[in-house]
Amino acid sequence: MMAVAGGKGGSGKTTTTLGLARALSRRGASVVAADADWDLPNLARLAVEADSDPVESGSPADVRGARSVADAVREAEPIRPDRSEPTVLAAPDSARSVDARATFDALDGVTPEGAPVLLDCPAGASPDVAAPLRAADRALIATPLRRAALRDAAKTAAIARRLDCPPVGTVVIGETSVPDRVAALLDCPVLGRIPDGGGAPLSEREVRDAYDGLARRLTETAAATGWQIA
């Protein structure tokens, strides 16, 4: 289980969660992507929008009735992800009535052995980010290449380490070239450089290729450190 975390809202966490989940699926993994940002949930909406006809992209995405992470944990049968597409789990409809920490801990138990589970985390260092970080084995830090965002990403990486969820790497959003000091600042390797894809980044081939590269490097890095993701 891996938490996709970052310091600021709009840092690219949700796009990275879905883009990486789809890239791992293209590599043959049975992936689950779950929305862990229950106050500002948009993972399921992004998944619907990314699949929409571009002509209809101005229409609001309809995610009513989407299976939520709480539904998946409550149901008796385990999740069976499709290898061709990740299983996307929405935030609960009544998030405040659900124990987030217990839910994310239980999610690992209803997914198949060896299936990567990606958690789209809340922004920053809010108390809500602790539940997915405690449940996950590793973190992937998503950040733009702006000074304030990098500073907050470094704080998020430090919190992840304190919660026994060490960062496996960083993905830099909106850039194709990253200075060496970024890896030193966050104390973990830069595994991905995702170009700016505009308003619909996951429809751009260059962006999809970048997430494919991230999936490959993440898999190699995880294996080299004794942690298997796919």
Side-chain angles (χ1 to χ4, degrees):
M1 186 176 284
M2 187 175 68
V4 181
K8 290 283 190 184
S11 62
K13 297 182 302 298
T14 302
T15 301
T16 291
T17 301
L18 184 59
L20 177 58
R22 289 182 168 182
L24 289 169
S25 291
R26 289 192 288 271
R27 293 176 62 85
S30 301
V31 187
V32 176
D35 201 329
D37 187 355
W38 292 358
D39 283 335
L40 294 170
N42 56 11
L43 179 64
R45 185 175 300 278
L46 177 63
V48 171
E49 291 174 345
D51 289 334
S52 298
D53 188 320
V55 174
E56 302 177 353
S57 61
S59 304
D62 186 356
V63 296
R64 289 172 297 180
R67 189 185 190 197
S68 81
V69 59
D71 295 334
V73 168
R74 281 194 297 261
E75 292 167 1
E77 291 196 8
I79 299 169
R80 291 185 171 85
D82 186 343
R83 286 183 179 271
S84 62
E85 281 288 330
T87 296
V88 176
L89 301 177
D93 291 333
S94 302
R96 290 304 170 192
S97 65
V98 180
D99 185 330
R101 182 172 180 179
T103 299
F104 294 126
D105 284 341
L107 180 60
D108 191 40
V110 296
T111 53
E113 183 71 26
V117 179
L118 308 183
L119 301 179
D120 179 23
C121 290
S126 70
D128 291 336
V129 79
L133 287 176
R134 284 194 174 104
D137 303 290
R138 296 288 191 278
L140 177 68
I141 307 299
T143 182
L145 208 63
R146 298 191 298 270
R147 181 173 297 179
L150 287 168
R151 183 171 58 244
D152 287 341
K155 292 178 183 176
T156 301
I159 291 168
R161 291 186 181 93
R162 287 201 298 270
L163 295 177
D164 198 25
C165 183
V168 69
T170 302
V171 53
V172 176
I173 307 299
E175 305 287 345
T176 56
S177 178
V178 178
D180 293 341
R181 65 178 180 274
V182 172
L185 174 66
L186 301 181
D187 194 21
C188 57
V190 175
L191 299 180
R193 300 162 180 82
I194 311 300
D196 184 357
L202 295 180
S203 66
E204 298 294 329
R205 178 176 295 278
E206 187 179 12
V207 172
R208 291 199 303 270
D209 288 347
Y211 279 118
D212 284 336
L214 171 62
R216 176 178 53 79
R217 287 185 288 272
L218 178 64
T219 301
E220 293 169 352
T221 299
T225 56
W227 179 64
Q228 199 70 30
I229 190 171

